[in-house]
């Protein structure tokens, strides 16, 4: 991917963004509530809840009221915060490689009085945790091999009876990804919705 070797160029999947933080406050609507959150440069979609995430959040059913819930690739936290607001008795794992994003999730959870959010890197999630729900706008731009490896690592950790919901841009390979997950990875995935150029995919173990 062009620019990835340039130390002056950050991507939202950079572990330690070098760019200026440019912290800002946003007013957004999450889980039916108008809330104030903090974002910064060097994370995914710092100026708004991106369209793919909006499509995902409009499509998914209510999350389980308890258990372990996962936002994979959390960014500044719109999905994780939504899960935590809707399921205050659940433990919500907000997972990202971007340390600035994780700091923002922690700040935003504290700002909203949410004590049930665990913002952490992938390696810090205990291996024995199984998820009652996984919601993700996955980092497609890490490239096909890395994305496939990411999903084949995390989808099998959805507990029996649980579900994973993914939103992927149609022009970013949603349909081939769905076929690959179902036909080659042994992770049967169905298309549940299509809107605004995005597919919403569901995996059930």
């Amino acid at each position: 991917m062009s620019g990835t070797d340039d130390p002056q160029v950050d991507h939202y999947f950079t572990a330690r963004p070098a760019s200026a933080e440019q912290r800002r406050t946003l007013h957004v609507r999450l889980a039916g509530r108008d809330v104030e959150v903090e974002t910064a440069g060097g994370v995914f979609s710092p100026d708004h809840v991106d369209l793919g995430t909006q499509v995902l959040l409009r499509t998914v059913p209510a999350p389980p009221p308890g258990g372990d819930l996962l936002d994979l690739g959390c960014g500044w936290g719109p999905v994780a915060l939504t899960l935590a607001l809707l399921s205050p008795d659940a433990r919500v794992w907000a997972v990202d490689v971007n340390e600035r994003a994780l700091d923002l999730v922690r700040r935003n959870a504290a700002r909203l009085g949410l004590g049930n959010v665990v913002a952490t890197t992938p390696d810090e999630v205990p291996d024995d945790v199984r998820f009652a729900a996984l919601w993700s706008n996955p980092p497609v731009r890490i490239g096909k091999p890395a994305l496939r490896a990411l999903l084949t690592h995390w989808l099998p950790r959805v507990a029996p009876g649980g579900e994973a919901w993914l939103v992927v841009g149609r022009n970013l390979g949603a349909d081939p990804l769905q076929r690959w997950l179902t036909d080659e990875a042994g992770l049967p995935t169905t298309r549940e919705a299509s809107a605004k150029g995005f597919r919403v995919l569901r995996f059930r173990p």
Side-chain angles (χ1 to χ4, degrees):
M1 197 171 294
S2 62
T4 52
D5 296 325
D6 183 344
Q8 301 306 310
V9 176
D10 284 337
H11 296 278
Y12 58 83
F13 45 84
T14 300
R16 295 180 180 84
S19 59
E21 290 196 52
Q22 300 173 324
R23 289 182 178 265
R24 65 207 80 169
T25 300
L26 296 184
H27 296 273
V28 297
R29 191 164 182 83
L30 299 176
R33 293 171 48 176
D34 294 314
V35 298
E36 185 178 273
V37 297
E38 184 177 350
T39 72
V43 302
F44 178 64
S45 191
D47 297 315
H48 63 288
V49 179
D50 69 282
L51 185 56
T53 296
Q54 292 179 43
V55 169
L56 177 71
L57 294 176
R58 285 199 299 265
T59 303
V60 291
D68 289 288
L69 313 180
L70 173 63
D71 172 11
L72 181 60
C74 60
W76 55 262
V79 171
L81 298 172
T82 297
L83 285 166
L85 287 165
L86 292 173
S87 299
D89 294 328
R91 179 169 55 171
V92 177
W93 297 86
V95 170
D96 207 297
V97 298
N98 184 322
E99 293 179 0
R100 185 177 296 171
L102 295 175
D103 178 62
L104 289 168
V105 173
R106 295 183 191 110
R107 290 170 177 265
N108 288 327
R111 182 187 290 252
L112 299 180
L114 299 170
N116 59 331
V117 176
V118 182
T120 187
T121 61
D123 292 342
E124 294 173 320
V125 180
D127 291 338
D128 60 349
V129 173
R130 294 295 177 264
F131 302 102
L134 183 163
W135 292 4
S136 180
N137 183 351
V140 174
R141 296 186 186 278
I142 61 177
K144 186 187 295 184
L147 178 65
R148 289 179 172 182
L150 181 77
L151 294 177
T152 53
H153 175 77
W154 291 100
L155 291 181
R157 296 182 64 173
V158 175
E163 293 181 332
W165 292 83
L166 313 172
V167 64
V168 181
R170 187 181 61 198
N171 65 345
L172 294 176
D175 295 341
L177 177 64
Q178 179 198 343
R179 289 193 295 270
W180 182 83
L181 286 169
T182 300
D183 298 337
E184 297 186 44
L187 299 165
T189 305
T190 56
R191 185 203 304 171
E192 296 297 320
S194 184
K196 309 290 187 183
F198 291 90
R199 307 290 202 211
V200 179
L201 309 178
R202 178 175 63 171
F203 162 72
R204 281 177 165 171

